[in-house]
Every structure is written in structure tokens, then in C-alpha cells.
Amino acid sequence: MKTLQKWFTRGAEFIAAMALAAIFVTFLLGIVFRYTPFLEPIGWSVVLISLLWVWLIFFGCAFIVRETDHVTFDVIYLGVSRKTRKVLALLTAVLMIAAMVWSFPAVWEAIFGNRLMELKKIQTLRIPITGDKIANKWLFAPFVLLMIVVTLRYTWRIVTVLRHGPPETELEALTSNDDTGAEAGQ
């Protein structure tokens, strides 16, 4: 399971790195075409960069950013017993799942069910193979992906908290690492 998770993480990081590289190359092309006297400026570069940036942010938040990477206000959480932390972790997970499930139909309708999102096209970008303009809905589609992944993550968190208790706090992680280091040194 750990090997599969490692490969999945590496694959997601690779995809994000390639999107970032595409953003950088497109940015450089835009500069070269704008400031070289005999070349015409390319208008699609800024739009492509914006589209890739939105996808990169939501994809990264869905598949790369870990729970511990988020900013948290955990003063109360750290001050309560382990049993209370378990209840708080479960409550937080249930609230996140409820929020995602409750808002999902409206978000889906706004992005994929709205005829205007299909009709309104990004004017300067085209699909390379068909030459069709890209519908605006594809600019917002990664948010739906983020919602699905967040729901799955917090569902898994419920399972993990029920099996193993609340997540280890940073202080607990530091002290357990110190204990391991002290034992290794003896």
C-alpha cells in the first residue's frame, strides 16, 4: 500500500511539475514573441498560463498538499485530551464531508449543467487536434475534482481516526522522534 501511495504521490508531483514547466515555457515564448521585431505577439500565451495556473492550484491542493501542510488554529485542539481530539477530528471530517456533499450538486450544475458555460468559449485557445475553442467550463472543472478528492480524503480520515485515534500532533511527532533518536544513540 505504501509503495502504491508513493508512486501515486510521485506521479501527481510529476504532473504538477510539468504544468509548471509548461507555464514557464509559455511565459518565455510570450516574451520572445512580444519583443522580437520580426515576430507577431501571441495573444494566447496569457490565457494558457492562466488556465494552467488554475488547474495547477486545484490539482496540487487535491493530490499533493498534505493535511499537515495547511495552516491550522489548533490551540484548543492541542489543549484537550486525546479522547476529545478524536471527537474533534471526527467532527471536523464529518463537517467537511457534509459541506462538500451539500454543495456538490450546485457546483456541478454551475459548471457542467449551465448552458452558458458550454456556449462561452475561451477565444484565444483552441484544442490542438480538433481546432475547437475551449469551453469556459474547463477552466472551472478542477474545482469539481478538488471537491471529490477532499470528500474522499476526509472519508478516509474518519476510517483512520476510528482505527488509530486522532492524528499525531506536531509536538507528539517531535517527542516521538526524539525518543527514537535517544534510543538509537544508546
Side-chain angles (χ1 to χ4, degrees), residues 16-58:
M18 290 299 102
L20 201 53
I23 289 170
F24 183 68
V25 168
T26 304
F27 178 73
L28 290 179
L29 279 174
I31 291 172
V32 168
F33 275 76
R34 176 169 291 166
Y35 294 109
T36 305
F38 56 87
L39 296 175
E40 291 269 333
I42 48 178
W44 53 263
S45 64
V46 174
V47 177
L48 180 60
I49 289 169
S50 300
L51 182 70
L52 287 173
W53 186 252
V54 169
W55 270 85
L56 178 65
I57 295 299
F58 286 122

Side-chain angles (χ1 to χ4, degrees), residues 36-102:
T36 305
F38 56 87
L39 296 175
E40 291 269 333
I42 48 178
W44 53 263
S45 64
V46 174
V47 177
L48 180 60
I49 289 169
S50 300
L51 182 70
L52 287 173
W53 186 252
V54 169
W55 270 85
L56 178 65
I57 295 299
F58 286 122
F59 181 83
C61 286
F63 294 108
I64 298 171
V65 178
R66 298 171 307 210
E67 187 73 29
T68 57
D69 294 336
H70 290 282
V71 175
T72 58
F73 300 101
D74 54 2
V75 175
I76 295 171
Y77 182 78
L78 295 174
V80 297
S81 69
R82 186 167 168 78
K83 185 177 179 181
T84 307
R85 283 200 316 254
K86 182 177 181 178
V87 170
L88 290 174
L90 289 170
L91 182 64
T92 302
V94 168
L95 288 173
M96 285 298 294
I97 293 168
M100 292 297 144
V101 169
W102 178 76

